[in-house]
Amino acid sequence: MSLPFGPYHAVIADDHAVVRDGLRAILESIGEVEIVGEAENGLEAISLAKEKKPALLTLDAAMPLARGMEVFVEVRRWSPETRIIVVTGFTAKGHLADWIAADVDGLFLKSCKPDEMRRGFELILNGGAYVSKSVLSILEQESKIPSLTSRERQVLHLIAEGLNNGEIAERLSVSAKTVDNHRTNMMSKLDVHSIAQLIAYALKEGILDQSQQL
Amino acid sequence: MSLPFGPYHAVIADDHAVVRDGLRAILESIGEVEIVGEAENGLEAISLAKEKKPALLTLDAAMPLARGMEVFVEVRRWSPETRIIVVTGFTAKGHLADWIAADVDGLFLKSCKPDEMRRGFELILNGGAYVSKSVLSILEQESKIPSLTSRERQVLHLIAEGLNNGEIAERLSVSAKTVDNHRTNMMSKLDVHSIAQLIAYALKEGILDQSQQL
DNA sequence: TTCTGAATGAGGAAAGTCCCTCATTCCATA
DNA sequence: TATGGAATGAGGGACTTTCCTCATTCAGAA
């Protein structure tokens, strides 16, 4: 496949050199793509994208210094022409749904076959959007887990940061009793019986990512 | 550099295809190495290593179905000749120290420069052991965080699984009061003030890995 | 309009956490 | 041999979580 309006400038953002190399190989196998920079943390990714305004940015969802979503928002603001492709290791439905909702141009799991990635990247460079099959199959699964309301997610986030009911109540300007009710409802929805298990759930859902904590 | 007794058979184990590709490129850049298999989960890694008894196994620390450490133990048992190189995304001191204690042949972060990895792999194939500089610098840092005793880590593990003091006590055949003491000691050592924060710490330390929970 | 779901708030009881203190045993090592 | 660290166990008090019930408000959908 040859692309119409190349060469396209691309930036790769991932904190793992070995992953950057894998992505570099895929991008280089597409004609008309020139890699103009690599970032190994979130802030570097933001400044590199602002500076180079590349046609394509491959973005890791979990990086040090700035989270993938923060990078995404910044790059969209300062370089709206850049096609942003998220490559994530998290397979949680909620996490993937967040990226779809953010209207990312491409969404792939790190476990994706390089072949599918390459074809997806080409489609995206041609102006399309592409979400990998593995992501779609996760999103299409009817989850047995009832989904949480946005307020509940908000509370879950703060619980996971180590705040107790009273502190969360203050932060959200509601009563501690309300926070307690949200927590209780979540635990009953999710069929867990302790804060520890609730946090384990939050992690699995990618609501927390382990590099950001403490 | 050319290696004396090649060709060496190698197996790559990592759940992310893009990482496998990066490692494959590094291994292929070493003469005398032939990749005889790839595994995308822990059980596959164990059975592949048992079957092929490769000279070299690159092992991801966090994979579905069986954790890196379980794979390591099994492969050491069934194919003691295999040189095992762990490539991990976790940068927590405790996690890295665990691998050193397990006497792994090589230990690298995923953020390692491919060049250093290649040179390290060559040394290991020559019969040596190699721990990457970035790992050493983490291990050498005097951590302000006092380290936990093994019993405390054990308790932390069970807390993180969502068990309460009583359940943990039963599991370890000690009194609930003892468990409570261990938990209290840890929280004071680590200067955290809730189970939620304790779990956040456990995650950061790689004591839990998010794919195993719930 | 009625009904449902979401967010808010409260009361109350049982259980568990959190954080002191103190004591005993064992083991390593200075 | 003495000192200290680790594991064990206990008492007790303050606070928090956990889990019920119930009620109000509001928005959107049937």
Side-chain angles (χ1 to χ4, degrees), chain A residues 63-84:
Chain A
M63 281 188 292
L65 301 187
R67 227 177 298 201
M69 191 56 87
E70 294 163 33
V71 176
F72 176 82
V73 169
E74 281 300 297
V75 174
R76 266 289 140 88
R77 184 191 338 266
W78 297 102
S79 176
E81 305 301 307
T82 297
R83 313 289 283 162
I84 303 176

Side-chain angles (χ1 to χ4, degrees), chain B residues 114-129:
Chain B
D115 239 44
E116 195 196 350
M117 273 201 198
R118 208 199 58 247
R119 280 197 302 272
F121 288 7
E122 286 172 349
L123 283 173
I124 291 160
L125 281 171
N126 266 316

